[in-house]
């Protein structure tokens, strides 16, 4: 009912409105056409009849499309904007065009496109965005375009494609994506597989090529050899679901995150403390614990010290540092995360002595744990342990900074079985 009212209102508006002065309006082949091409326009002119179904603004000087740019023409089915100077299409610029079937934005300077504009264009059948400066397409950009038949993205600056980008395009029969500077890493392999198996026509496949890495420059994607690729895996070097490990004020807390994946994942630490969330891109300190130039703050030693080898050091653990510590690894194929909750012990509890006795009794039974390059490992599946390395403050410069040199113990950490301050067994 609302759509019917909108149509009636648009027709009434069309009967009472004149055409914008620079343009010519009329009926042709049953379509209401507004022709504003080649008019040296620098903005979308106001005053269109509401019943316009075809609008040409090609070959002008339009620099951008603002929100609501085409609110006057809700019945529009074809919109031609090629050969302008459009760099930006704002969110909501195309939102009112639910009847649009053809959209031509080719041959512009488009680099800032609000992809949410496409989510309301469910009737779209032709989309031309070629010959622009687009570098990235969100995974859900085309989620509503189930009627789209032809998509042109060639001659842009696309360097990768998110897996599943074209999955919603169930009616697609033609895709042009040649002449883009693709990085032929693990993130693009899915597209090679899809292009070789899809029924969609992809012309000029010999021009769908790699630009990087240099050794693959010029190689067509359809001839790309398999690459060794794997999604990230992470593991904090303590085990595994024991929450609430208790520490005493003034201790050093060190955690280590083992990361695997190809290409090598980027490691981040997310720390939820009583005074908020801290996010750290590892590393933020050098091997001596001094802040890297990009992470310099008020202190030369950050409150949370993330090392290149995956270790995280909190030199002076106190009440403000208790909370949830998570390491997150991300590469082109996905992400993985592991977390631990750490709380501060109440002074005078004497928990260390109880746990120490537990450890020694386990050791006497030939169970317990052993150390390898200062990493604590459970000796059997029944003896999982929350591994938290602790030491008294002082002599911290090289703590956790080592890369696992055999037989060498970081000065700020104490070996298990000698002076380890705290252990938590998951089974006693």
């Amino acid at each position: 009912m609302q759509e019917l009212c909108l149509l009636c209102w648009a027709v009434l508006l069309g009967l009472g409105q004149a055409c914008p002065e620079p343009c010519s309006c009329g009926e042709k082949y049953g379509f209401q056409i507004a022709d504003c091409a080649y008019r040296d326009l620098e903005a979308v002119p106001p005053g269109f009849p509401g019943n316009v179904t075809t609008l040409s603004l090609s070959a002008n000087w339009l620099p951008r499309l603002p929100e609501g740019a085409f609110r006057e023409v809700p019945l529009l089915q074809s919109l031609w904007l090629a050969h302008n100077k459009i760099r930006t299409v704002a969110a909501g610029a195309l939102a009112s065009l639910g009847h649009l079937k053809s959209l031509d934005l080719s041959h512009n300077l488009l680099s800032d496109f609000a992809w949410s504009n496409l989510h309301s264009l469910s009737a779209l059948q032709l989309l031309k965005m070629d010959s622009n400066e687009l570098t990235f397409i969100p995974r859900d950009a085309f989620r509503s375009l189930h009627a789209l038949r032809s998509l042109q993205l060639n001659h842009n600056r696309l360097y990768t494609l998110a897996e599943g980008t074209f999955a919603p395009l169930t009616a697609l029969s033609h895709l042009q994506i040649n002449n883009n500077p693709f990085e032929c890493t693990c993130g693009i392999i899915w597209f090679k597989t899809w292009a070789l198996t899809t029924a969609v026509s992809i012309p000029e496949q010999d021009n769908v090529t790699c630009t990087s890495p240099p050794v693959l420059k010029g190689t067509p994607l359809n001839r790309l050899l398999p690459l060794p690729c794997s999604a990230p895996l992470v593991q904090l070097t303590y085990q595994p679901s024991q929450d609430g490990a208790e520490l005493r004020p003034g201790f050093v807390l060190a955690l280590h995150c083992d990361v695997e994946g190809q290409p090598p994942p980027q490691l981040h630490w997310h720390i939820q403390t009583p005074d908020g969330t801290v996010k750290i891109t590892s590393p933020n300190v050098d091997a001596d614990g001094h802040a890297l130039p990009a992470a310099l703050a008020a202190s030369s030693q950050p409150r949370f010290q993330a090392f290149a080898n995956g270790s995280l050091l909190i030199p002076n653990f106190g009440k403000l540092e208790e909370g949830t510590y998570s390491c997150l690894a991300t590469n082109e194929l996905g992400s993985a995360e592991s977390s631990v909750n750490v709380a501060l012990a109440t002074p005078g509890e004497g928990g260390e002595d109880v746990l120490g006795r537990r450890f020694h009794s386990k050791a006497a039974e030939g169970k317990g744990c052993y150390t390898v390059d200062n990493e604590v490992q459970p000796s059997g599946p029944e003896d999982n342990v929350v591994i938290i390395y602790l030491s008294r403050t002082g002599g911290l410069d090289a703590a956790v900074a080592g890369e696992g040199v055999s037989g060498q113990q970081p000065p700020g950490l104490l070996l298990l079985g000698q002076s380890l301050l705290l252990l938590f067994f998951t089974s006693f």
Side-chain angles (χ1 to χ4, degrees), residues 283-296:
N284 68 352
V285 293
D286 60 21
D288 294 323
H290 298 121
L292 297 174
L296 280 174

Side-chain angles (χ1 to χ4, degrees), residues 7-30:
L7 291 172
C8 294
W9 179 248
V11 171
L12 290 173
L13 286 175
L15 294 175
Q17 279 188 309
C19 192
E21 184 177 346
C23 310
S24 60
C25 301
E27 182 178 344
K28 189 174 184 180
Y29 306 121

Side-chain angles (χ1 to χ4, degrees), residues 51 109 228:
N51 62 345
L109 303 171

